[in-house]
Amino acid sequence: MLARTYDLVRFEKLNIKNMTRSVKGTIEQPGKNVRQKAGLNRAILAQRWGLLRQRTEHKAPGRVEDVPAPYTSLRCSACGWIDKNSRKSQAEFCCSSCGFICNADTNAATNVAAGQGGIPRPRRSAGAGGTTPPQQRSSVREPQPPWVGIPLFKRRRMSRTLE
């Protein structure tokens, strides 16, 4: 569906191998929250993020991009300001510059869709040592189709001719 629906598909370049590494420790002195980390590792590996990206590349060759993961969750999708204090919690994002509020995952997904990640860049409208509020919300988004679905069957109309 992704390959048929979109001209360009972007994935956040996550280091899955490092994310699923076991908690450091020994048998005598195990690390903290070992059971929780093992459950998180199983959940990440069960989702098969790497396989999804690989198969999408096979079905849409040349139309899959990787966006560097740093700062995608800290950058404001409305004004571009990067501040670690904007992440109020795991789920809430509130920009310390323009006051834009939304779900943190939605904000990060918007940044990935716009290809904004990696090296922190200051806003173009920021003056020397100061910040200026943005004029409007960013309009950089992937085109959204009016209907997203997987067409399983093509409907053919049978026409009868009565003679």
Side-chain angles (χ1 to χ4, degrees):
M1 182 198 68
L2 291 173
R4 281 192 302 255
T5 308
Y6 298 100
D7 292 331
L8 179 66
V9 181
R10 290 190 172 122
F11 285 95
E12 188 174 20
K13 188 171 178 73
L14 299 172
N15 193 337
I16 300 167
K17 185 176 181 180
N18 286 348
M19 290 174 69
T20 56
R21 217 174 356 181
S22 65
V23 179
K24 293 183 179 180
T26 63
I27 294 174
E28 295 81 26
Q29 294 180 334
K32 294 182 180 178
N33 299 325
V34 175
R35 190 165 291 184
Q36 289 89 346
K37 177 64 175 161
L40 176 64
N41 290 349
R42 278 193 300 274
I44 290 173
L45 294 172
Q47 295 298 317
R48 308 250 179 175
W49 296 340
L51 188 61
L52 172 66
R53 195 243 177 261
Q54 181 183 20
R55 291 210 174 142
T56 305
E57 177 66 34
H58 289 166
K59 292 183 181 279
R63 297 187 294 140
V64 176
E65 287 184 0
D66 288 325
V67 176
Y71 304 107
T72 54
S73 63
L74 300 178
R75 180 189 305 271
C76 177
S77 60
C79 71
W81 190 253
I82 298 173
D83 185 13
K84 66 179 181 181
N85 296 326
S86 294
R87 283 292 292 264
K88 299 296 182 188
S89 67
Q90 182 67 25
E92 184 182 359
F93 181 88
C94 179
C95 181
S96 59
S97 177
C98 69
F100 175 71
I101 298 172
C102 75
N103 182 287
D105 291 335
T106 303
N107 181 63
T110 304
N111 287 329
V112 171
Q116 297 177 349
I119 301 170
R121 289 170 285 206
R123 278 194 324 225
R124 282 180 266 146
S125 60
T131 62
T132 55
Q135 279 71 23
Q136 63 183 11
R137 188 170 177 202
S138 174
S139 63
V140 180
R141 286 191 62 190
E142 290 292 323
Q144 300 295 314
W147 176 80
V148 177
I150 302 173
L152 298 176
F153 303 102
K154 288 187 176 182
R155 294 185 183 194
R156 295 182 186 184
R157 291 187 175 213
M158 304 280 293
S159 62
R160 290 190 208 178
T161 56
L162 297 174
E163 296 179 20

